[in-house]
Amino acid sequence: MGNIIEISGVRKVYRIGNEKVVALDNIDLAIEEGEFCCILGTSGSGKSTLLNLMAGLEKPTRGHIKINGTYIEKLNEKKLALFRQNNIGFVFQSYNLLPTLNAVENVSLPLTFKGVPKHIRDKKAKAMLEAVGLGTHLKHKPSQMSGGQQQRVGIARAFISNPAIVFADEPTGNLDSKTTKEVMNLITSIAREHNQTLIIVSHDISIASYADRIVHIMDGNIQKIEAVQKN
């Protein structure tokens, strides 16, 4: 398989007052189509900045990021939003569900933005919720669900458009160990089934063990990349 993401010479510098803070120094990284890659590092290591750059949420100070053949740093905001809509799904640590919407409505949001008719998006959303074990919670709002259930809704939303790439930023950070295992098994099984590329950012080595490769990042630099041995 070919590379779906290619990062070359990426540097990210933030200006805080008169000071420059180097978040990423000189990053080179290639990720294959269908790969599960974990970006592992402590708080402040630059891992979330790297994810934000790959997801097109921020632009690099220098360097290139090619996703699915497109140099995303060259896209304007409108084209970038469209690119994300067509290629990328997100799973967030804090779930990011809209409190006034029920599970079906939250999951169908990406399809709403694409202009998919309501009866089709509702049908797909219900099927996704059943796939993540929430077939009895279709009309529940976030306040009526546990953290694990809310994250399952978040997972269903991320995958509903069948994106080529799913980014997950500390997706189990607010969950207990049992729910963490359930959520990780769910994310990986859906991605494997559809040959989707999965990139997860974490500080937790037990989460990294699910990946095909672990990219260790510290002080804005990649320290090493290791393949995970599967039992």
Side-chain angles (χ1 to χ4, degrees):
M1 288 185 195
N3 294 329
I4 193 167
I5 298 177
E6 293 179 4
I7 298 169
S8 53
V10 161
R11 178 177 170 87
K12 181 64 179 178
V13 179
Y14 294 102
R15 289 187 178 275
I16 301 174
N18 294 323
E19 291 197 25
K20 290 183 182 178
V21 177
V22 179
L24 293 173
D25 201 1
N26 190 34
I27 301 292
D28 295 307
L29 180 65
I31 297 171
E32 286 188 4
E33 183 183 357
E35 181 179 4
F36 178 5
C37 184
C38 179
I39 313 294
L40 186 70
T42 56
S43 178
S45 61
K47 62 185 187 300
S48 290
T49 300
L50 180 56
L51 181 141
N52 288 342
L53 292 174
M54 285 191 284
L57 300 174
E58 297 184 51
K59 289 188 182 289
T61 305
R62 189 179 71 210
H64 301 290
I65 301 168
K66 185 162 75 168
I67 298 181
N68 247 352
T70 298
Y71 286 99
I72 62 169
E73 79 277 359
K74 296 179 180 179
L75 300 178
N76 62 32
E77 284 306 315
K78 189 175 180 180
K79 288 181 179 177
L80 200 49
L82 195 60
F83 180 85
R84 282 197 296 267
Q85 200 178 94
N86 292 326
N87 293 275
I88 292 169
F90 293 95
V91 181
F92 303 94
Q93 177 179 349
S94 55
Y95 321 134
N96 280 24
L97 304 179
L98 295 181
T100 57
L101 301 184
N102 64 34
V104 168
E105 292 164 339
N106 266 292
V107 171
S108 65
L109 268 179
L111 301 180
T112 305
F113 296 137
K114 284 187 165 187
V116 175
K118 186 177 187 303
H119 69 282
I120 295 175
R121 64 178 189 255
D122 283 356
K123 184 179 178 182
K124 287 190 172 187
K126 287 171 185 174
M128 277 302 305
L129 285 164
E130 285 167 6
V132 300
L134 288 177
T136 58
H137 290 67
L138 303 179
K139 300 298 182 184
H140 285 54
K141 292 184 177 178
S143 61
Q144 299 169 306
M145 292 184 278
S146 68
Q149 289 168 338
Q150 288 184 66
Q151 192 57 295
R152 284 170 181 265
V153 175
I155 292 165
R157 180 185 56 193
F159 282 97
I160 194 167
S161 296
N162 196 28
I165 305 164
V166 172
F167 292 105
D169 191 358
E170 300 276 11
T172 61
N174 293 335
L175 305 176
D176 60 51
S177 58
K178 178 177 178 290
T179 310
T180 288
K181 193 171 182 179
E182 291 171 357
V183 163
M184 287 306 301
N185 286 336
L186 189 59
I187 293 175
T188 51
S189 65
I190 296 174
R192 300 274 191 224
E193 184 182 347
H194 297 95
N195 194 39
Q196 289 159 300
T197 305
L198 181 58
I199 299 167
I200 190 166
V201 163
S202 183
H203 66 278
D204 186 346
I205 192 66
S206 69
I207 299 299
S209 67
Y210 286 83
D212 300 314
R213 284 192 304 160
I214 303 172
V215 178
H216 294 263
I217 190 166
M218 185 169 68
D219 298 331
N221 290 281
I222 292 175
Q223 300 297 306
K224 65 174 179 176
I225 301 175
E226 62 176 322
V228 177
Q229 301 299 317
K230 303 294 183 181
N231 294 329

